[in-house]
Amino acid sequence: MIGCSSTGSKEPKMRSVLAPLVLLFVVALIGCTSNFKLGERKMLQENYKNSFIEGFKTLSFCRCIKYGYDNKYDLVTEDASCRFPDYLYSEVALIDILAKVERDKILLDSASRVGRVAEGMEGKRVMDICLKFYNSSLLDSVAISRYQKDKNQ
């Protein structure tokens, strides 16, 4: 009986030590899982932000090229990067307005170059002006602003 009573007293002690350890493990596991999900959510939000802004700028560039060349090229069928993804459908009108402003700049630039540049250098500079537009801080700020508006809806 003495042997039985000593073994019996170790079990409750072991359970009393093991129970908090199991509880600590479960709490840590839940905490790590929720932190992982939070980190995953932030990563997805950052990826969406980058996709939105880059897509907005790329589509603005494509439309600038399209209007700069007077709709002579169907970039949508030629280049997949010029197709609007679902999350940018609401931005089509604004992108068109911005691209048409750039088209007007192209036309003014072309007219102002007549007689001022070397022979053979007259004409439209569509690529040059559209690339400058793509890299402009104005387009960056408009794209970021539109992303913020989209995010808050």
Side-chain angles (χ1 to χ4, degrees):
M1 283 239 187
I2 294 176
C4 288
S5 67
S6 67
T7 306
S9 65
K10 284 185 182 177
E11 259 183 50
K13 286 181 184 177
M14 190 183 239
R15 283 185 187 163
S16 66
V17 170
L18 194 57
L21 288 176
V22 169
L23 181 61
L24 181 63
F25 176 75
V26 169
V27 168
L29 184 63
I30 291 170
C32 288
T33 303
S34 64
N35 284 341
F36 175 75
K37 287 181 180 179
L38 179 63
E40 186 179 334
R41 188 175 327 123
K42 283 184 180 182
M43 184 180 72
L44 289 173
Q45 288 171 341
E46 189 65 26
N47 287 344
Y48 177 72
K49 175 184 177 183
N50 293 336
S51 295
F52 186 98
I53 293 169
E54 187 63 30
F56 188 96
K57 290 179 63 175
T58 299
L59 293 168
S60 297
F61 173 78
C62 290
R63 290 295 172 112
C64 181
I65 297 293
K66 175 184 175 181
Y67 297 133
Y69 286 121
D70 301 318
N71 296 315
K72 290 179 183 169
Y73 302 105
D74 186 8
L75 295 174
V76 172
T77 58
E78 297 295 327
D79 190 331
S81 60
C82 291
R83 296 179 191 139
F84 280 86
D86 294 346
Y87 56 87
L88 285 174
Y89 281 149
S90 62
E91 303 301 326
V92 173
L94 177 61
I95 288 172
D96 278 346
I97 289 168
L98 293 170
K100 287 176 181 176
V101 167
E102 293 304 307
R103 181 217 36 222
D104 293 344
K105 289 180 186 178
I106 291 166
L107 294 174
L108 288 172
D109 176 74
S110 178
S112 72
R113 293 169 52 86
V114 173
R116 291 190 10 209
V117 295
E119 187 177 327
M121 294 303 294
E122 292 176 345
K124 292 195 249 181
R125 298 180 312 134
V126 175
M127 286 292 188
D128 184 45
I129 291 173
C130 290
L131 280 171
K132 286 178 182 174
F133 170 58
Y134 175 83
N135 289 313
S136 70
S137 59
L138 171 69
L139 188 57
D140 286 341
S141 64
V142 171
I144 291 167
S145 171
R146 298 305 288 192
Y147 165 74
Q148 293 295 337
K149 181 181 179 226
D150 179 75
K151 183 178 118 178
N152 293 329
Q153 287 183 358

